[in-house]
């Protein structure tokens, strides 16, 4: 089979697949879900491991995808996750996962053995009381153990995802810089995006990339690394002791270099994190569609991808799903 490029109407080539394996989580983060929780997808409606693997294989074989990231919800709450990792690891891709890290002390070694290459661990505070307030779970010590476990079993690189919210945790930038440099891991500071479950996001809550750079520079000077299609712009410390990343989805949109598409836990294909429509891949899978038909549906969706999400513009349309329901 001749591999084609999956290209949208603006010439962007897509090679990065984000797969949510569950919408459930063992945290109830204040910006991910409301205090009363969310209505979870039923088990029967989730894609099976075989269905996930088939979609991933189509993306690789038809369109040359070279990167797959497993997300959630929290992916480690999906039973027998290493079985899926082992299936996906047979594909010629960089296989990564985003996790809150709580379960890593128990399964990091098994995931690494199954073929997972690297992990991003979400951690929005290094202060126990504040962490409990933000996540509604008193589990910072478990997350820190998970970070150590990821390092110990050989995930490379290990990255920390920190969503900054003004007035909530923006006074911890220096603490995260010191933590990352001490551990030899890369902290990625992420601008707060309008994907919170209670829909109370406001631009005044966003700590912008300019502010982050200023504050990091005041701790230890940095310089930019050449930009890639990755979500984060990376910076190296001038003293040679590590890197940070900044994901500036709001203030410095990187839509022109975006190469990512997403499959939700129940099999809905999204051509953008902020997409307002989806393509039902699960229906195709369960109605015995051919690989050609599934690939065609994906291609049709990507062809309609818009130029950018238009946050902060009057015509911005907020997705009906929160981040935990879409997958990171």
């Amino acid at each position: 089979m001749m591999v084609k490029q999956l290209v949208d109407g603006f010439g962007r080539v897509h090679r990065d697949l984000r797969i949510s394996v569950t919408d459930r989580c063992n945290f109830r983060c204040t910006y991910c879900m409301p205090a009363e929780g969310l209505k979870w997808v039923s088990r029967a409606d989730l894609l099976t491991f075989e269905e996930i693997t088939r979609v991933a294989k189509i993306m690789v074989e038809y369109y040359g995808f070279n990167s797959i990231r497993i997300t959630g919800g929290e992916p480690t709450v999906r039973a027998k996750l290493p079985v899926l990792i082992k299936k996906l690891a047979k594909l010629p891709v960089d296989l990564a996962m985003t996790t809150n890290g709580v379960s890593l002390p128990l399964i990091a070694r098994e995931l690494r053995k199954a073929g997972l290459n690297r992990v991003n661990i979400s951690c929005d505070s290094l202060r126990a009381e504040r962490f409990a307030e933000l996540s509604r779970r008193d589990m910072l010590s478990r997350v820190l153990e998970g970070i150590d476990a990821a390092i110990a079993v050989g995930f490379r690189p290990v990255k920390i995802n920190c969503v900054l919210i003004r007035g909530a945790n923006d006074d911890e930038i220096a603490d995260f810089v010191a933590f990352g440099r001490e551990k030899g891991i890369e902290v990625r500071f992420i601008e707060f995006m309008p994907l919170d479950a209670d829909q109370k996001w406001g631009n005044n809550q966003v700590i912008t990339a300019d502010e982050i750079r200023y504050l990091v520079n005041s701790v230890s000077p940095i310089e930019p690394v050449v930009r890639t299609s990755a979500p984060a712009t990376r910076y190296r410390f001038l003293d040679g002791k590590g890197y940070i990343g900044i994901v500036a989805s709001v203030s410095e949109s990187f839509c022109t270099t975006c190469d990512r598409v997403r499959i939700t836990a129940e099999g809905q294909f999204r051509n953008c994190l902020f997409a307002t429509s989806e393509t039902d891949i699960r229906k195709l899978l369960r109605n015995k569609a051919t690989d050609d038909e599934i690939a065609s549906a994906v291609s049709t969706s990507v062809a309609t991808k818009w130029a950018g999400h238009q946050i902060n513009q009057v015509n911005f349309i907020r997705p009906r799903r929160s981040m935990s329901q879409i997958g990171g």
Side-chain angles (χ1 to χ4, degrees), residues 226-245:
V226 175
R227 186 82 169 88
T228 69
S229 62
T233 300
R234 299 180 71 222
Y235 300 82
R236 66 169 63 90
F237 290 102
L238 294 185
D239 62 8
K241 295 181 180 178
Y243 297 81
I244 65 157

Side-chain angles (χ1 to χ4, degrees), residues 23-86:
D23 64 335
R24 298 173 187 260
C25 191
N26 41 19
F27 286 174
R28 290 183 180 273
C29 295
T30 55
Y31 56 82
C32 279
M33 64 180 73
E36 65 273 16
L38 294 167
K39 183 179 179 180
W40 305 121
V41 174
S42 69
R43 182 63 183 269
D45 289 334
L46 295 176
L47 291 187
T48 66
F49 288 173
E50 290 73 23
E51 289 170 333
I52 291 171
T53 303
R54 183 182 173 198
V55 172
K57 187 176 180 183
I58 289 170
M59 302 300 277
V60 170
E61 293 184 348
Y62 278 72
Y63 299 119
F65 272 55
N66 55 23
S67 178
I68 293 177
R69 178 177 297 277
I70 302 302
T71 71
E74 169 49 41
T76 61
V77 305
R78 180 76 185 255
K80 301 181 180 179
L81 182 63
V83 174
L84 174 63
I85 297 299
K86 190 171 183 179

Side-chain angles (χ1 to χ4, degrees), residues 254-295:
F254 45 85
C255 296
T256 57
T257 60
C258 178
D259 67 347
R260 288 164 296 288
V261 293
R262 290 171 168 80
I263 296 283
T264 68
E266 75 277 30
Q268 301 301 305
F269 181 84
R270 298 176 64 87
N271 60 28
C272 173
L273 180 62
F274 290 92
T276 56
S277 63
E278 300 172 336
T279 299
D280 193 346
I281 297 298
R282 184 187 67 196
K283 183 177 180 180
L284 291 172
L285 289 165
R286 296 183 181 179
N287 285 345
K288 303 188 185 306
T290 66
D291 288 358
D292 284 349
E293 289 169 333
I294 294 171

Side-chain angles (χ1 to χ4, degrees), residues 201-218:
W201 178 91
N203 192 269
N204 61 334
Q205 297 173 289
V206 177
I207 306 298
T208 67
D210 274 345
E211 293 175 275
I212 298 168
R213 283 188 290 264
Y214 174 81
L215 291 166
V216 173
N217 265 307
S218 68

Side-chain angles (χ1 to χ4, degrees), residues 16 18 69 118 120 157 159-162 186-191 193 209 212-213 223-236 243-250 252-255 257-260 262:
D16 186 335
R18 308 296 171 101
R69 178 177 297 277
R118 54 194 180 90
N120 285 17
K159 298 180 181 179
I160 303 300
N161 288 348
C162 175
E186 184 172 322
V187 177
R188 303 198 322 166
F189 295 110
I190 302 173
E191 291 183 347
M193 294 179 281
I212 298 168
R213 283 188 290 264
E223 64 179 3
V225 177
V226 175
R227 186 82 169 88
T228 69
S229 62
T233 300
R234 299 180 71 222
Y235 300 82
R236 66 169 63 90
Y243 297 81
I244 65 157
I246 299 176
V247 181
S249 301
V250 178
E252 297 176 4
S253 169
F254 45 85
C255 296
T257 60
C258 178
D259 67 347
R260 288 164 296 288
R262 290 171 168 80

Side-chain angles (χ1 to χ4, degrees), residues 98-227:
T98 297
T99 172
N100 62 30
V102 168
S103 299
L104 286 181
L106 301 175
I107 65 170
R109 191 168 301 280
E110 189 176 1
L111 290 170
R112 185 75 183 97
K113 185 178 179 180
L116 189 66
N117 297 326
R118 54 194 180 90
V119 293
N120 285 17
I121 300 172
S122 300
C123 181
D124 298 324
S125 178
L126 296 172
R127 303 176 189 179
E129 185 175 334
R130 179 179 288 174
F131 183 94
E133 181 181 352
L134 290 171
S135 68
R136 299 192 179 102
R137 294 290 186 272
D138 185 13
M139 289 188 179
L140 177 60
S141 61
R142 288 277 299 276
V143 174
L144 297 178
E145 288 175 19
I147 293 169
D148 288 338
I151 295 169
V153 302
F155 287 122
R156 295 290 184 277
V158 174
K159 298 180 181 179
I160 303 300
N161 288 348
C162 175
V163 177
L164 292 173
I165 304 176
R166 192 177 305 280
N169 62 348
D170 52 313
D171 57 345
E172 292 191 58
I173 290 176
D175 295 340
F176 273 103
V177 168
F179 179 77
R181 281 157 63 84
E182 177 188 345
K183 293 284 186 181
I185 57 182
E186 184 172 322
V187 177
R188 303 198 322 166
F189 295 110
I190 302 173
E191 291 183 347
F192 186 32
M193 294 179 281
L195 290 168
D196 53 315
D198 60 11
Q199 300 194 12
K200 293 181 179 179
W201 178 91
N203 192 269
N204 61 334
Q205 297 173 289
V206 177
I207 306 298
T208 67
D210 274 345
E211 293 175 275
I212 298 168
R213 283 188 290 264
Y214 174 81
L215 291 166
V216 173
N217 265 307
S218 68
V219 177
S220 184
I222 54 175
E223 64 179 3
V225 177
V226 175
R227 186 82 169 88

